[in-house]
mmCIF file of all heavy atoms in Angstrom:
data_model
loop_
_atom_site.group_PDB
_atom_site.id
_atom_site.type_symbol
_atom_site.label_atom_id
_atom_site.label_comp_id
_atom_site.label_asym_id
_atom_site.label_seq_id
_atom_site.Cartn_x
_atom_site.Cartn_y
_atom_site.Cartn_z
ATOM 1 N N GLY A 282 3.757 -20.549 -31.734
ATOM 2 C CA GLY A 282 4.712 -19.682 -31.074
ATOM 3 C C GLY A 282 4.247 -19.105 -29.760
ATOM 4 O O GLY A 282 4.968 -18.343 -29.141
ATOM 5 N N SER A 283 3.070 -19.439 -29.301
ATOM 6 C CA SER A 283 2.582 -18.806 -28.081
ATOM 7 C C SER A 283 3.325 -19.281 -26.840
ATOM 8 O O SER A 283 3.436 -18.554 -25.878
ATOM 9 C CB SER A 283 1.083 -19.041 -27.898
ATOM 10 O OG SER A 283 0.846 -20.413 -27.652
ATOM 11 N N LEU A 284 3.844 -20.501 -26.874
ATOM 12 C CA LEU A 284 4.552 -20.989 -25.699
ATOM 13 C C LEU A 284 5.880 -20.257 -25.522
ATOM 14 O O LEU A 284 6.225 -19.836 -24.429
ATOM 15 C CB LEU A 284 4.815 -22.491 -25.812
ATOM 16 C CG LEU A 284 5.484 -23.129 -24.604
ATOM 17 C CD1 LEU A 284 4.546 -23.077 -23.412
ATOM 18 C CD2 LEU A 284 5.876 -24.553 -24.894
ATOM 19 N N ALA A 285 6.588 -20.043 -26.615
ATOM 20 C CA ALA A 285 7.887 -19.380 -26.523
ATOM 21 C C ALA A 285 7.748 -17.883 -26.288
ATOM 22 O O ALA A 285 8.576 -17.267 -25.630
ATOM 23 C CB ALA A 285 8.684 -19.626 -27.781
ATOM 24 N N ASN A 286 6.695 -17.278 -26.812
ATOM 25 C CA ASN A 286 6.548 -15.826 -26.724
ATOM 26 C C ASN A 286 5.532 -15.392 -25.677
ATOM 27 O O ASN A 286 5.155 -14.226 -25.640
ATOM 28 C CB ASN A 286 6.128 -15.263 -28.085
ATOM 29 C CG ASN A 286 7.155 -15.549 -29.162
ATOM 30 O OD1 ASN A 286 8.330 -15.594 -28.865
ATOM 31 N ND2 ASN A 286 6.705 -15.781 -30.375
ATOM 32 N N GLN A 287 5.082 -16.323 -24.889
ATOM 33 C CA GLN A 287 4.049 -15.990 -23.910
ATOM 34 C C GLN A 287 4.630 -15.108 -22.817
ATOM 35 O O GLN A 287 5.630 -15.446 -22.197
ATOM 36 C CB GLN A 287 3.498 -17.282 -23.307
ATOM 37 C CG GLN A 287 2.263 -17.085 -22.501
ATOM 38 C CD GLN A 287 1.701 -18.434 -22.058
ATOM 39 O OE1 GLN A 287 2.446 -19.356 -21.809
ATOM 40 N NE2 GLN A 287 0.413 -18.502 -21.934
ATOM 41 N N VAL A 288 4.020 -13.971 -22.615
ATOM 42 C CA VAL A 288 4.475 -13.023 -21.609
ATOM 43 C C VAL A 288 3.329 -12.813 -20.646
ATOM 44 O O VAL A 288 2.222 -12.488 -21.054
ATOM 45 C CB VAL A 288 4.885 -11.673 -22.249
ATOM 46 C CG1 VAL A 288 5.281 -10.685 -21.186
ATOM 47 C CG2 VAL A 288 5.990 -11.886 -23.249
ATOM 48 N N SER A 289 3.599 -13.026 -19.372
ATOM 49 C CA SER A 289 2.544 -12.779 -18.400
ATOM 50 C C SER A 289 2.775 -11.414 -17.784
ATOM 51 O O SER A 289 3.879 -11.074 -17.393
ATOM 52 C CB SER A 289 2.558 -13.857 -17.315
ATOM 53 O OG SER A 289 3.797 -13.862 -16.665
ATOM 54 N N VAL A 290 1.733 -10.637 -17.748
ATOM 55 C CA VAL A 290 1.814 -9.291 -17.223
ATOM 56 C C VAL A 290 1.227 -9.293 -15.823
ATOM 57 O O VAL A 290 0.081 -9.684 -15.620
ATOM 58 C CB VAL A 290 1.038 -8.297 -18.114
ATOM 59 C CG1 VAL A 290 1.085 -6.904 -17.555
ATOM 60 C CG2 VAL A 290 1.584 -8.350 -19.524
ATOM 61 N N ALA A 291 2.030 -8.882 -14.878
ATOM 62 C CA ALA A 291 1.552 -8.810 -13.499
ATOM 63 C C ALA A 291 0.736 -7.544 -13.340
ATOM 64 O O ALA A 291 1.048 -6.509 -13.933
ATOM 65 C CB ALA A 291 2.734 -8.799 -12.536
ATOM 66 N N PRO A 292 -0.344 -7.613 -12.536
ATOM 67 C CA PRO A 292 -1.127 -6.403 -12.320
ATOM 68 C C PRO A 292 -0.283 -5.337 -11.625
ATOM 69 O O PRO A 292 0.554 -5.632 -10.790
ATOM 70 C CB PRO A 292 -2.282 -6.866 -11.438
ATOM 71 C CG PRO A 292 -1.838 -8.160 -10.847
ATOM 72 C CD PRO A 292 -0.829 -8.743 -11.793
ATOM 73 N N ALA A 293 -0.511 -4.100 -12.003
ATOM 74 C CA ALA A 293 0.256 -2.999 -11.427
ATOM 75 C C ALA A 293 -0.082 -2.871 -9.945
ATOM 76 O O ALA A 293 -1.241 -2.964 -9.558
ATOM 77 C CB ALA A 293 -0.080 -1.701 -12.149
ATOM 78 N N PRO A 294 0.925 -2.673 -9.109
ATOM 79 C CA PRO A 294 0.635 -2.534 -7.681
ATOM 80 C C PRO A 294 -0.113 -1.237 -7.412
ATOM 81 O O PRO A 294 0.177 -0.208 -8.011
ATOM 82 C CB PRO A 294 2.024 -2.522 -7.035
ATOM 83 C CG PRO A 294 2.955 -2.112 -8.121
ATOM 84 C CD PRO A 294 2.335 -2.561 -9.407
ATOM 85 N N THR A 295 -1.078 -1.339 -6.545
ATOM 86 C CA THR A 295 -1.841 -0.141 -6.190
ATOM 87 C C THR A 295 -1.175 0.527 -5.005
ATOM 88 O O THR A 295 -0.663 -0.130 -4.115
ATOM 89 C CB THR A 295 -3.289 -0.515 -5.821
ATOM 90 O OG1 THR A 295 -3.254 -1.430 -4.725
ATOM 91 C CG2 THR A 295 -4.003 -1.149 -6.991
ATOM 92 N N THR A 296 -1.172 1.835 -5.033
ATOM 93 C CA THR A 296 -0.569 2.562 -3.928
ATOM 94 C C THR A 296 -1.663 2.901 -2.931
ATOM 95 O O THR A 296 -2.670 3.506 -3.275
ATOM 96 C CB THR A 296 0.106 3.848 -4.430
ATOM 97 O OG1 THR A 296 -0.842 4.620 -5.140
ATOM 98 C CG2 THR A 296 1.282 3.523 -5.336
ATOM 99 N N GLN A 297 -1.457 2.450 -1.709
ATOM 100 C CA GLN A 297 -2.404 2.728 -0.641
ATOM 101 C C GLN A 297 -1.680 3.518 0.433
ATOM 102 O O GLN A 297 -0.504 3.288 0.686
ATOM 103 C CB GLN A 297 -2.946 1.428 -0.038
ATOM 104 C CG GLN A 297 -3.743 0.616 -1.043
ATOM 105 C CD GLN A 297 -4.237 -0.682 -0.432
ATOM 106 O OE1 GLN A 297 -3.853 -1.046 0.665
ATOM 107 N NE2 GLN A 297 -5.089 -1.367 -1.152
ATOM 108 N N PRO A 298 -2.376 4.445 1.054
ATOM 109 C CA PRO A 298 -1.713 5.200 2.108
ATOM 110 C C PRO A 298 -1.332 4.284 3.258
ATOM 111 O O PRO A 298 -1.990 3.281 3.514
ATOM 112 C CB PRO A 298 -2.784 6.225 2.538
ATOM 113 C CG PRO A 298 -4.081 5.679 2.047
ATOM 114 C CD PRO A 298 -3.770 4.819 0.882
ATOM 115 N N ALA A 299 -0.260 4.656 3.916
ATOM 116 C CA ALA A 299 0.196 3.856 5.058
ATOM 117 C C ALA A 299 -0.849 3.911 6.168
ATOM 118 O O ALA A 299 -1.470 4.946 6.416
ATOM 119 C CB ALA A 299 1.535 4.397 5.573
ATOM 120 N N LYS A 300 -1.023 2.768 6.802
ATOM 121 C CA LYS A 300 -2.014 2.699 7.876
ATOM 122 C C LYS A 300 -1.398 3.242 9.164
ATOM 123 O O LYS A 300 -0.255 2.937 9.492
ATOM 124 C CB LYS A 300 -2.460 1.259 8.099
ATOM 125 C CG LYS A 300 -3.247 0.709 6.932
ATOM 126 C CD LYS A 300 -3.756 -0.662 7.259
ATOM 127 C CE LYS A 300 -4.605 -1.183 6.120
ATOM 128 N NZ LYS A 300 -5.183 -2.475 6.434
ATOM 129 N N THR A 301 -2.193 3.999 9.848
ATOM 130 C CA THR A 301 -1.740 4.499 11.142
ATOM 131 C C THR A 301 -2.044 3.448 12.192
ATOM 132 O O THR A 301 -2.779 2.503 11.971
ATOM 133 C CB THR A 301 -2.464 5.803 11.497
ATOM 134 O OG1 THR A 301 -3.859 5.528 11.611
ATOM 135 C CG2 THR A 301 -2.226 6.875 10.441
ATOM 136 N N ALA A 302 -1.479 3.629 13.358
ATOM 137 C CA ALA A 302 -1.723 2.685 14.448
ATOM 138 C C ALA A 302 -3.192 2.647 14.799
ATOM 139 O O ALA A 302 -3.732 1.602 15.178
ATOM 140 C CB ALA A 302 -0.895 3.083 15.678
ATOM 141 N N GLN A 303 -3.881 3.761 14.655
ATOM 142 C CA GLN A 303 -5.306 3.820 14.967
ATOM 143 C C GLN A 303 -6.118 3.002 13.963
ATOM 144 O O GLN A 303 -7.079 2.362 14.314
ATOM 145 C CB GLN A 303 -5.792 5.273 14.970
ATOM 146 C CG GLN A 303 -7.170 5.436 15.536
ATOM 147 C CD GLN A 303 -7.177 6.461 16.640
ATOM 148 O OE1 GLN A 303 -6.173 7.105 16.870
ATOM 149 N NE2 GLN A 303 -8.289 6.603 17.317
ATOM 150 N N ASP A 304 -5.710 3.001 12.684
ATOM 151 C CA ASP A 304 -6.423 2.258 11.653
ATOM 152 C C ASP A 304 -6.244 0.751 11.809
ATOM 153 O O ASP A 304 -7.116 -0.026 11.469
ATOM 154 C CB ASP A 304 -5.944 2.663 10.261
ATOM 155 C CG ASP A 304 -6.355 4.088 9.920
ATOM 156 O OD1 ASP A 304 -7.311 4.584 10.539
ATOM 157 O OD2 ASP A 304 -5.693 4.686 9.042
ATOM 158 N N GLU A 305 -5.085 0.349 12.304
ATOM 159 C CA GLU A 305 -4.811 -1.079 12.420
ATOM 160 C C GLU A 305 -5.665 -1.743 13.489
ATOM 161 O O GLU A 305 -5.987 -2.907 13.379
ATOM 162 C CB GLU A 305 -3.330 -1.312 12.708
ATOM 163 C CG GLU A 305 -2.467 -0.997 11.502
ATOM 164 C CD GLU A 305 -1.015 -1.289 11.767
ATOM 165 O OE1 GLU A 305 -0.712 -2.012 12.734
ATOM 166 O OE2 GLU A 305 -0.182 -0.793 11.011
ATOM 167 N N HIS A 306 -6.001 -1.053 14.524
ATOM 168 C CA HIS A 306 -6.804 -1.605 15.606
ATOM 169 C C HIS A 306 -8.226 -1.090 15.465
ATOM 170 O O HIS A 306 -8.573 -0.028 15.953
ATOM 171 C CB HIS A 306 -6.243 -1.203 16.976
ATOM 172 C CG HIS A 306 -4.837 -1.703 17.188
ATOM 173 N ND1 HIS A 306 -4.544 -3.024 17.315
ATOM 174 C CD2 HIS A 306 -3.656 -1.044 17.260
ATOM 175 C CE1 HIS A 306 -3.231 -3.177 17.481
ATOM 176 N NE2 HIS A 306 -2.672 -1.978 17.452
ATOM 177 N N VAL A 307 -9.034 -1.854 14.779
ATOM 178 C CA VAL A 307 -10.410 -1.452 14.535
ATOM 179 C C VAL A 307 -11.221 -1.743 15.805
ATOM 180 O O VAL A 307 -11.188 -2.837 16.341
ATOM 181 C CB VAL A 307 -11.005 -2.221 13.334
ATOM 182 C CG1 VAL A 307 -12.457 -1.845 13.126
ATOM 183 C CG2 VAL A 307 -10.180 -1.946 12.099
ATOM 184 N N VAL A 308 -11.921 -0.723 16.254
ATOM 185 C CA VAL A 308 -12.737 -0.845 17.459
ATOM 186 C C VAL A 308 -14.193 -0.691 17.044
ATOM 187 O O VAL A 308 -14.546 0.249 16.322
ATOM 188 C CB VAL A 308 -12.343 0.242 18.491
ATOM 189 C CG1 VAL A 308 -13.211 0.151 19.731
ATOM 190 C CG2 VAL A 308 -10.877 0.120 18.839
ATOM 191 N N PRO A 309 -15.055 -1.619 17.464
ATOM 192 C CA PRO A 309 -16.469 -1.483 17.116
ATOM 193 C C PRO A 309 -17.043 -0.161 17.622
ATOM 194 O O PRO A 309 -16.579 0.414 18.603
ATOM 195 C CB PRO A 309 -17.133 -2.665 17.827
ATOM 196 C CG PRO A 309 -16.035 -3.622 18.123
ATOM 197 C CD PRO A 309 -14.788 -2.810 18.247
#
């Protein structure tokens, strides 16, 4: 019965803070 009852669980999305314009352009 594993084929018929197989349920795949997707990993929960992680919440990340929105990137600012300064974060997107990384400067050495």
Side-chain angles (χ1 to χ4, degrees):
S283 67
L284 183 66
N286 299 327
Q287 191 174 33
V288 177
S289 59
V290 179
T295 59
T296 56
Q297 296 178 351
K300 292 185 177 183
T301 63
Q303 191 126 7
D304 291 339
E305 289 183 17
H306 299 292
V307 177
V308 179

